[in-house]
Amino acid sequence: KPTISIVSNSISIDYSPSTNMVNIQSFIDNYSISNNYDVTPTITFTKDGQTYSGILSVGTYTVTIVINGNENQNQSNTVQFELVVKAIDPEYTIPSGLKATYGQTLADITLDAGWSFVAASTTPVGNVKDTNNFAVKYDCGNSNYNVIYETVTILVSSNGL
C-alpha cells in the first residue's frame, strides 16, 4: 500500500492577493506532499460539498489525496486533512484632515470609499476648537480581506474652516 506523508492534519495559510486566490499547485509544491511510489497523487479540495480546482479563496477546505496503485502494487491509499485559507488585511489609508462645523453630526462627514463610522450617524461631532476622535472601520467588500478598525480625528470649528 502506498504511503502518503503530509505536514499536518490541519494547515493554515494566508490568502494570496498577488494572484487574487491561493493557487493549488503552489500548495502542493510548498507542502511537499510525498509518497513512496512514483505516481502522481490525485488531490481534491472540497468546501460545503463543492469541489474546487485551480484556485481557492478564504475558507476551510477538506483536502483529499489519493494515490492509486501502480503496475507493481494494486493497493491505493487515501488521506484527508483540513486546509484553512485565512483572510488578510487589505491595503488602506486612514482618512485624515477631517473638519466639521459645530452642530454637525457624523452623517455630515464624508469618508473615503469603504470607510464608515462605528458610532451612530446621529452622533454630534463635538464642541468648537475641540479635536474629537471617532472609531471608524474599513470594509473593502471582499471576504478575502479582514475588516479594519481605526480611529480618526475631526477638528470642529464654528465656521467650518
Side-chain angles (χ1 to χ4, degrees):
K1 185 174 189 176
T3 60
I4 303 172
S5 300
I6 58 171
V7 175
S8 150
N9 286 333
S10 182
I11 299 171
S12 292
I13 59 177
D14 289 337
Y15 169 76
S16 175
S18 61
T19 59
N20 203 27
M21 298 252 183
V22 173
N23 185 300
I24 290 177
Q25 186 60 49
S26 174
F27 171 82
I28 294 167
D29 294 343
N30 289 330
Y31 287 94
S32 300
I33 298 165
S34 61
N35 65 80
N36 62 343
Y37 286 171
D38 189 19
V39 176
T40 302
T42 301
I43 302 173
T44 57
F45 295 78
T46 56
K47 180 174 86 170
D48 301 326
Q50 184 175 351
T51 300
Y52 293 82
S53 63
I55 48 178
L56 303 177
S57 53
V58 168
T60 301
Y61 297 83
T62 299
V63 181
T64 304
I65 303 171
V66 177
I67 299 178
N68 292 315
N70 60 19
E71 62 275 356
N72 299 318
Q73 179 73 3
N74 290 329
Q75 292 182 335
S76 64
N77 195 2
T78 301
V79 68
Q80 285 188 328
F81 61 95
E82 182 178 90
L83 171 66
V84 178
V85 179
K86 300 179 296 183
I88 61 170
D89 290 346
E91 291 185 19
Y92 63 94
T93 301
I94 301 170
S96 62
L98 300 175
K99 296 179 182 179
T101 302
Y102 177 75
Q104 288 186 311
T105 65
L106 294 181
D108 299 311
I109 308 302
T110 301
L111 297 174
D112 297 334
W115 289 97
S116 62
F117 288 101
V118 173
S121 62
T122 56
T123 302
V125 293
N127 295 320
V128 174
K129 294 188 182 177
D130 280 352
T131 300
N132 297 293
N133 295 321
F134 293 93
V136 291
K137 71 176 184 176
Y138 177 71
D139 185 350
C140 69
N142 182 329
S143 63
N144 291 311
Y145 294 93
N146 295 314
V147 173
I148 302 297
Y149 291 88
E150 293 287 351
T151 301
V152 296
T153 300
I154 299 175
L155 177 61
V156 180
S157 67
S158 61
N159 60 8
L161 299 177

